[in-house]
Each structure stands twice: as C-alpha cells, then as structure tokens.
Amino acid sequence: YGGDIVGNGTYKSFDQGFFRQSVLDTISSTPFYNAIGNHEGWRKVVKSFHQAPDSASGSQAYYSFDWGVVHMLVLNTEIDYNRASAQYGFAKTDLAASKQPWKIVAFHKPAYGAGVLKATAADGDPDMKVMSKEVFAPEGVQLVLCGHHHFYQHMLVDGVHHMTIASAGAELAHDPAPAPFVIKYRKGYHFAVLDADAGSLKIEVFDEKGASIDSVALNKT
C-alpha cells in the first residue's frame, strides 16, 4: 500500500478509519505491507501498529523482502532519504545485492508527477528523483509504485515505470495532467493487480467498477 492508510496518526483515526471489519477480514488472511504516508506519519501510534518483515535495514521504517520472483523494497518518505541518509545507502546496497528477475520499489511521495495537488504543482519529489536516477535505474528496478497524489498516473523515466496508484478511499481533490514522460493518467478511483513469473511481469490497473484502464507487460527476453 502506498501510504496514508488513515487521515492522521492518532489512535482515533486508526480506530475509525482502518480497524473496520472489512479491512480486518482482508488483512487477517492477506499479507499487508505499507509504505508510510504523510497523513499517518512516522510517529508513536503508527510505530506501535506497524510490523515490517526482518531485513538488512535493521529498521522498521523501511525494509525489503522477496515474494516469489519479485524483490520488493519499501521506503519511507517521512524520514531522511537524501544521499547522506542511511535509507539511501540501504536502498543502493539492497537493490545491488538482489538477484531476483524483478525489482519493485514502493514509497509514498512520487519522484515524478504532473498535475495539481491542491494548491501545489505535483511535479514530484526532488530527493526521490535523485534516488531514481542514481539508484533505481542503475540497479535494474523495473517498477516504482507510489501514493500521495489522489489520481492515477503512469510515467516512464530512464526506462523505469513509475505508477502513482493513490485514490483508494481518498477524496478526488487532485487533478492529473499530461507531460512528456506521462504515458497515461486518470482522475478516478482505481486499484492494480500484479502478476509475475521468472520471464514476465504484468501490471493491470482497474477502475472502481472493475474495468481495465491501463496495463503494462514486461518480458525478460
């Protein structure tokens, strides 16, 4: 999940917005991994509910794991991730060490974007642009998944697909826009399904009625 699972980091917000029966029924049988968002933040209540898998990061704030043929790196945009940070160093070392055919990175604030996020241009996060150019692309990441902007946007930069999948449950207050690096965009509710084997990775994005609105098929050949 791309972060912002609740409106703020209080217990009341979790109790009313997340600990609902439909959510509990799902996560009781389905593994749930979150990339911390700015709404819940990396604070006391969130830390008490957040349980990351063990990884070489030695941290609950950011982590990685393998799922079948996919290596997943989950970063935290609520703490330092510039070149001098421990998180940047872990991302570089972690991705370089992975031998999995598919490498996916997830975090909250997108490196790239085009449109309007309330009163601010949603043109992406400067430090994440640096990490994308200096770490993700050189280390063979094929896909980056993000949240934060409450719309769908699919971008291709330096051979890496960046997909903002970020409207589940949120009000549609943000407006996407075209740009030279944007492949597709949509203002509306949506979700994505990923399927992978050793030779292929397919990502299909659906609207709230189950109709396909975008798809990407990557092949190792």
Side-chain angles (χ1 to χ4, degrees):
Y1 197 88
D4 286 354
I5 58 175
V6 291
N8 59 64
T10 64
Y11 176 80
K12 182 178 180 180
S13 184
F14 272 87
D15 188 41
Q16 296 180 350
F18 187 73
F19 296 139
R20 294 178 291 180
Q21 196 57 50
S22 58
V23 178
L24 297 176
D25 289 344
T26 300
I27 65 175
S28 66
S29 59
T30 303
F32 182 91
Y33 301 94
N34 188 40
I36 301 298
N38 59 295
H39 277 272
E40 66 263 33
W42 189 237
R43 297 184 285 270
K44 183 177 180 180
V45 172
V46 175
K47 292 178 182 179
S48 69
F49 293 142
H50 179 81
Q51 178 64 57
D54 292 336
S55 72
S57 74
S59 172
Q60 286 286 307
Y62 50 90
Y63 55 94
S64 66
F65 60 93
D66 288 340
W67 190 273
V69 294
V70 173
H71 181 71
M72 197 81 194
L73 171 64
V74 181
L75 299 176
N76 189 334
T77 55
E78 296 309 297
I79 60 176
D80 287 344
Y81 47 96
N82 55 40
R83 283 193 189 98
S85 67
Q87 186 168 199
Y88 182 101
F90 171 70
K92 187 173 181 63
T93 301
D94 177 79
L95 291 171
S98 176
K99 304 303 180 185
Q100 295 288 65
W102 303 108
K103 298 179 184 181
I104 300 175
V105 183
F107 48 89
H108 185 62
K109 297 175 182 175
Y112 301 95
V116 176
L117 177 61
K118 294 185 178 177
T120 306
D123 59 355
D125 182 272
D127 284 335
M128 272 303 174
K129 287 179 181 178
V130 171
M131 196 182 296
S132 182
K133 288 182 175 294
E134 296 182 353
V135 179
F136 302 160
E139 298 301 342
V141 171
Q142 297 95 355
L143 176 64
V144 172
L145 302 173
C146 293
H148 196 49
H149 301 163
H150 298 171
F151 50 64
Y152 174 68
Q153 200 157 57
H154 175 191
M155 297 147 286
L156 184 62
V157 182
D158 297 326
V160 181
H161 290 269
H162 292 253
M163 302 178 85
T164 298
I165 302 172
S167 75
E171 61 181 73
L172 301 175
H174 306 160
D175 296 305
F181 53 86
V182 174
I183 295 174
K184 188 166 287 189
Y185 63 92
R186 181 180 186 271
K187 183 176 181 177
Y189 295 109
H190 57 275
F191 63 95
V193 176
L194 282 67
D195 290 295
D197 58 32
S200 65
L201 174 67
K202 182 179 181 181
I203 308 101
E204 189 155 12
V205 185
F206 301 89
D207 67 16
E208 69 275 24
K209 296 181 180 180
S212 178
I213 60 174
D214 195 12
S215 64
V216 181
L218 306 177
N219 295 291
K220 273 297 175 181
T221 55

